Amino acid sequence: MIYDPYVWFTPMYMLKCIQDTYEHYKSNEKNIPYEMQKALNEAYATAVACFGFNAQLSNEFRLQLVDPTERSPDIRVLYQLPTPKNYRYETNGAYWDIEVVTLDENSPEKYVDDFLLRTKLSSKKSYDRKTIILCFINKKIEGGKIWGEVQKTLSECSHKNDVFLLGSPKPPPDFKYIFARVHPNLDSVNEIDLKEAIQTKYSKSGGTLFMNLPLPNQKTQRDMKPNINPFLDD
């Protein structure tokens, strides 16, 4: 897999890469390795969340995989900043660190707040204050709590990190998600129609963006080709 801090992917292209990767392993009758499956799940949730961030901040978010040897975060997302006058680079941006956790059928908890308090918001966990927690609800929940109740429970924890929930009220093939921040406040609620969202056009064409850091000799050594799959290429 590709862990290159200078290479960023649009959420639309990342979703295509995820689909291509599943088809690649299926056609070759191979099982997907655990680390790759984890990266695929985290990238999928974050790519969908990027559409929510786009709507909330009127920006164009991109994402990249992070080398597991860093331990944290799981994913980084990049957003555009105005390019200063006489800036030596074509684009300018900043990034957020994202920790992704999934509430699925294997999780013992029924409610997402209990799940988060056991996992990412446990007293045993510690993250940089600016790290965002993204919880993907990939589990059918009957009679679940409304998100206002979730926010009230999470307000009692000591962690100050922003926590976002991403979930679908209906199972696929509906592909409509609700995205909201539930900690420290309940806000930024958006509905994401994934079928519409993947038609999004960014101002800079192409699914891959190479962005060098504004430091001496800090640039990628990778060939700047447009069709990189971060899961299948190296």
Side-chain angles (χ1 to χ4, degrees), residues 12-204:
M12 302 81 73
Y13 182 72
M14 180 63 84
L15 291 172
K16 179 183 182 302
C17 290
I18 292 170
Q19 182 62 35
D20 289 346
T21 301
Y22 280 119
E23 291 177 357
H24 170 81
Y25 276 87
K26 183 178 179 180
S27 64
N28 287 279
E29 299 181 341
K30 293 183 178 180
N31 294 325
I32 298 176
Y34 170 80
E35 284 297 333
M36 180 172 290
Q37 185 62 68
K38 181 177 181 292
L40 287 164
N41 294 342
E42 292 167 350
Y44 180 86
T46 309
V48 178
C50 279
F51 295 121
F53 291 137
N54 284 349
Q56 292 165 7
L57 301 175
S58 299
N59 213 304
E60 295 181 345
F61 277 77
R62 292 173 168 83
L63 65 157
Q64 66 179 202
L65 307 183
V66 176
D67 193 327
T69 59
E70 290 192 37
R71 299 181 66 88
S72 180
D74 296 314
I75 300 278
R76 287 192 174 96
V77 296
L78 174 80
Y79 56 97
Q80 299 289 89
L81 292 175
T83 304
K85 187 177 181 181
N86 299 323
Y87 193 59
R88 63 180 294 186
Y89 297 102
E90 181 181 351
T91 53
N92 185 31
Y95 64 82
W96 293 338
D97 289 343
I98 309 287
E99 278 287 321
V100 184
V101 65
T102 301
L103 173 63
D104 59 22
E105 297 298 338
N106 295 318
S107 307
E109 293 84 5
K110 178 179 179 180
Y111 300 122
V112 68
D113 49 1
D114 294 332
F115 172 70
L116 282 166
L117 290 172
R118 178 178 65 84
T119 56
K120 297 298 184 180
L121 298 183
S122 165
S123 59
K124 299 177 182 179
K125 296 282 188 178
S126 178
Y127 298 105
D128 181 272
R129 172 66 182 83
K130 294 182 180 180
T131 298
I132 292 172
I133 308 297
L134 172 62
C135 180
F136 180 38
I137 304 171
N138 191 24
K139 179 177 184 177
K140 185 177 181 181
I141 300 176
E142 297 290 347
K145 296 180 181 179
I146 60 175
W147 286 3
E149 294 175 312
V150 172
Q151 187 276 328
K152 184 177 180 181
T153 302
L154 297 184
S155 67
E156 299 173 2
C157 80
S158 60
H159 292 270
K160 304 302 181 183
N161 302 79
D162 287 321
V163 179
F164 286 82
L165 298 186
L166 174 69
S168 177
K170 297 180 181 180
D174 190 67
F175 292 113
K176 291 184 179 179
Y177 294 91
I178 303 297
F179 181 64
R181 185 173 70 156
V182 293
H183 185 68
N185 302 301
L186 174 61
D187 56 28
S188 308
V189 181
N190 288 93
E191 181 176 295
I192 302 169
D193 186 328
L194 195 56
K195 291 182 179 178
E196 293 183 1
I198 59 176
Q199 305 302 320
T200 302
K201 303 294 185 183
Y202 274 26
S203 57
K204 187 176 180 63

Side-chain angles (χ1 to χ4, degrees), residues 211-227:
M211 178 173 281
N212 293 331
L213 298 179
L215 297 171
N217 302 315
Q218 298 294 302
K219 62 181 181 180
T220 184
Q221 301 300 315
R222 188 175 302 280
D223 291 338
M224 293 187 182
K225 61 180 183 179
N227 298 317

